[in-house]
Amino acid sequence: MQAAWLLGALVVPQLLGLSHAARGTEREWEGGWGGAQEEEREREALMLKHLQEALGLPAVRGDGNLEETLEDKGAWGTGEDGQGEEEEEEEEATPTPSSSPSPSPTPEDAVTYILGRLAGLDAGLHQLHVRLHVLDTRVVELTRGLRQLREAASDTRDAVQALQEAQSRADREHGRLEGCLKGLRLGHKCFLLSRDFEAQAAAQARCAARGGSLAQPADRQQMEALTRYLRAALAPYNWPVWLGVHDRRAEGLYLFENGQRVSFFAWHRAPHPEPGTEPSAAPHPLSPNQPNGGVLENCVAQASDDGSWWDHDCERRLYYVCEFPF
């Protein structure tokens, strides 16, 4: 500020002298040099404007009188040196709102800020590690619990399987005892009639679940005993009953359910003609000789009235006889 006033003190008097000289020149030449006068005024106004912009002085009034303008605005002393200084001190003492920008951050401030941010990030990472540790511990506990559940499930499966096997053994033992108590006991085996209609394979499965198999009469004695048992159980009707005999493996090769080859047969034969009558060449339509089904009839059933064997379609649903060991 002092440098600005010093510059003003040095320059403004010279400009004022130039202004008075210009006015004198104007009065000398105002007769016939109007254009030069206008040019001088414009030049003077331009110089004053540049001075005002350079020193930060108040704007010049419209008449171009720099002295009057400075006196009106108090920017220049009026001859009383103390008055200008007092005004300057008052201006310095009067608090004015600071419009200067905040100081730019120093390198130390930037480093402090970065270190603070890094400390915050480190604290956040620590919290994250703590939570991850808690989650990892929880996962380990859940994995251990899942392993225990799997072991318990495996033990339960084994227990259920053991129970099912025990139940199966119990059912087989119960079926065997029931067959021998309710059915026909013959030597080392027992026969029991079931009045449920089943296909030949399903009947075999049900007999096996009860600890036996479809009946397998091995000789004439067993065949006659089984015939008497069926006749007494189903009389006065004649019902075919499944036996454990079939030729599914090869046509004409009859096997028992246990895979042994059948050596005794009781096939049905057409009735003989009465004495004195000629035999008929055509087979009896209701009781032809057996077996007569070929590849279409591969399973054997026994008639309940006379005990003869008939071949039938294996999918036909008939009564069946189970055989149990004794």
Side-chain angles (χ1 to χ4, degrees):
M1 181 63 70
Q2 293 178 358
W5 282 109
L6 181 59
L7 182 61
L10 294 175
V11 175
V12 170
Q14 299 295 331
L15 293 178
L16 291 177
L18 292 175
S19 178
H20 287 294
R23 289 176 182 173
T25 306
E26 180 183 356
R27 283 192 297 267
E28 291 178 2
W29 296 92
E30 65 181 354
W33 302 95
Q37 184 179 5
E38 291 296 333
E39 292 179 0
E40 288 292 335
R41 289 179 180 176
E42 292 179 0
R43 189 178 299 108
E44 181 182 356
L46 183 59
M47 292 174 63
L48 292 176
K49 181 178 179 182
H50 288 314
L51 178 62
Q52 185 267 336
E53 292 177 354
L55 300 178
L57 299 176
V60 182
R61 292 190 307 181
D63 56 359
N65 193 340
L66 180 60
E67 292 181 274
E68 295 178 359
T69 301
L70 294 175
E71 291 176 359
D72 293 340
K73 299 298 180 179
W76 191 255
T78 58
E80 299 178 358
D81 298 334
Q83 183 176 1
E85 294 177 358
E86 291 177 359
E87 291 178 357
E88 181 180 356
E89 292 176 358
E90 290 179 358
E91 289 178 0
E92 291 179 356
T94 303
T96 57
S98 176
S99 60
S100 61
S102 60
S104 59
T106 63
E108 291 78 4
D109 295 337
V111 172
T112 304
Y113 173 77
I114 292 174
L115 291 178
R117 294 293 294 174
L118 290 176
L121 291 175
D122 184 68
L125 287 175
H126 176 70
Q127 293 294 330
L128 182 60
H129 284 306
V130 171
R131 294 183 181 180
L132 287 177
H133 176 71
V134 173
L135 289 176
D136 186 65
T137 304
R138 186 59 177 167
V139 168
V140 170
E141 293 176 355
L142 291 176
T143 304
R144 186 182 301 112
L146 181 60
R147 186 183 301 111
Q148 294 175 355
L149 287 176
R150 287 178 177 174
E151 292 175 357
S154 178
D155 295 340
T156 303
R157 262 195 317 270
D158 295 340
V160 170
Q161 185 176 0
L163 288 175
Q164 290 176 348
E165 292 176 356
Q167 181 68 30
S168 179
R169 289 194 299 269
D171 291 341
R172 290 194 297 269
E173 186 65 20
H174 178 267
R176 186 181 68 81
L177 294 175
E178 184 182 24
C180 291
L181 291 175
K182 294 183 178 180
L184 173 66
R185 179 182 175 184
L186 185 63
H188 61 279
K189 63 175 62 177
C190 303
F191 296 104
L192 179 64
L193 172 66
S194 176
R195 298 174 184 266
D196 296 327
F197 291 99
E198 296 288 353
Q200 200 269 353
Q204 169 61 22
R206 294 191 63 175
C207 290
R210 299 175 64 182
S213 65
L214 285 175
Q216 304 172 121
D219 51 31
R220 184 172 295 276
Q221 181 182 1
Q222 293 182 10
M223 180 66 190
E224 291 176 354
L226 182 58
T227 299
R228 290 191 298 268
Y229 170 67
L230 293 178
R231 185 185 300 116
L234 298 176
Y237 305 103
N238 179 22
W239 290 96
V241 179
W242 285 125
L243 299 178
V245 180
H246 62 85
D247 65 343
R248 288 191 293 261
R249 182 177 299 179
E251 180 63 25
L253 177 62
Y254 288 91
L255 305 173
F256 288 120
E257 289 294 336
N258 58 10
Q260 295 181 359
R261 187 169 181 175
V262 178
S263 59
F264 169 80
F265 296 96
W267 295 113
H268 173 77
R269 297 304 179 202
H272 296 285
E274 296 180 0
T277 61
E278 296 181 358
S280 176
H284 195 282
L286 298 179
S287 58
N289 293 333
Q290 298 295 319
N292 68 338
V295 296
L296 300 178
E297 297 177 348
N298 296 320
C299 295
V300 177
Q302 179 177 338
S304 62
D305 56 350
D306 59 358
S308 60
W309 290 7
W310 296 65
D311 60 345
H312 291 282
D313 182 6
C314 296
E315 298 301 321
R316 186 176 178 183
R317 296 168 64 86
L318 303 175
Y319 290 165
Y320 56 95
V321 179
C322 291
E323 176 185 298
F324 303 95
F326 180 73

